[in-house]
Amino acid sequence: FYPEFFLNDFTIELTEDALVNIYDTAGKLVFTKQVNSGNQNIKIDSAKNIYYLQIDPKSGVKTQKVIVQ
């Protein structure tokens, strides 16, 4: 997905359907959405902070740190 730094939206490219979760640094779920394969725009309304993006397709969970500027 891109970018790692974003304002309130970003695009992810998925090869399969997946559940997208975003957590704050305290582990609180701030966003969740089931998305289809392909390019997906994700928009969240959250304060400037570090978050953890978790993508959960059938092939295995992937997590990456993202920063809202």
Side-chain angles (χ1 to χ4, degrees), residues 25-49:
T25 54
K28 179 182 174 190
L29 181 66
V30 296
F31 177 88
T32 186
K33 184 177 181 181
Q34 182 70 39
V35 296
N36 297 323
S37 62
N39 288 339
Q40 299 293 326
N41 189 51
I42 304 295
K43 184 172 184 168
I44 62 169
D45 295 319
S46 295
K48 293 180 181 180
N49 203 344

Side-chain angles (χ1 to χ4, degrees), residues 2-20:
Y2 47 92
E4 184 174 325
F5 295 89
F6 63 95
L7 297 175
N8 65 348
D9 70 325
F10 57 94
T11 301
I12 56 176
E13 184 178 347
L14 302 170
T15 57
E16 59 186 306
D17 297 351
L19 178 64
V20 174

Side-chain angles (χ1 to χ4, degrees), residues 43-62:
K43 184 172 184 168
I44 62 169
D45 295 319
S46 295
K48 293 180 181 180
N49 203 344
I50 296 171
Y51 295 91
Y52 294 94
L53 170 69
Q54 182 183 72
I55 300 172
D56 188 2
K58 291 180 182 177
S59 62
V61 177
K62 298 172 182 90

